[in-house]
Amino acid sequence: QDCDGQASEQEQCNLQPCPVDGVWEDWEDWTECSVTCGGGMKKRNRQCDGPYYGGQDCDGQASEQEQCNLQPCPVDGVWEDWEDWTECSVTCGGGMKKRNRQCDGPYYGGQDCDG
């Protein structure tokens, strides 16, 4: 006569979720540069999705920054001091004398001296 009952049995075990390591999401857009000229910084971030159930954290940095707008800033021209007057063109009867001044600049696309 056959034995009474099942020849084997099974039951669930290790029901806890498996560890899931973190995965980086895409980088966000760069921020605006901190300056328009003369060298500034910009930054971007990314988020780590996870980890879950004891998995490993994302490897690497969550943010990065780099230099931007390294070109020199425009410098407008500035008038230097007036030079001395010249001698008068005549000794009497009304003549002319003149003096000059130099414009220092402009540089890197700045505005010329006004006048």
Side-chain angles (χ1 to χ4, degrees), residues 56-100:
Q56 297 293 310
D57 205 356
C58 291
D59 186 32
Q61 299 297 317
S63 66
E64 63 181 6
Q65 56 183 15
E66 67 180 32
Q67 291 183 309
C68 52
N69 293 341
L70 301 177
Q71 75 280 4
C73 294
V75 178
D76 293 342
V78 176
W79 286 116
E80 294 181 357
D81 291 339
W82 286 104
E83 297 173 357
D84 292 337
W85 286 103
T86 64
E87 296 281 329
C88 190
S89 61
V90 295
T91 57
C92 62
M96 296 294 292
K97 64 181 181 177
K98 72 173 188 173
R99 64 181 180 172
N100 296 316

Side-chain angles (χ1 to χ4, degrees), residues 5-35:
Q6 301 284 336
S8 66
E9 62 181 358
Q10 59 185 18
E11 65 179 22
Q12 290 183 321
C13 60
N14 292 336
L15 299 177
Q16 72 277 8
C18 293
V20 177
D21 294 341
V23 176
W24 286 116
E25 295 179 2
D26 290 338
W27 286 104
E28 297 172 0
D29 291 336
W30 286 102
T31 61
E32 292 286 325
C33 191
S34 59
V35 296

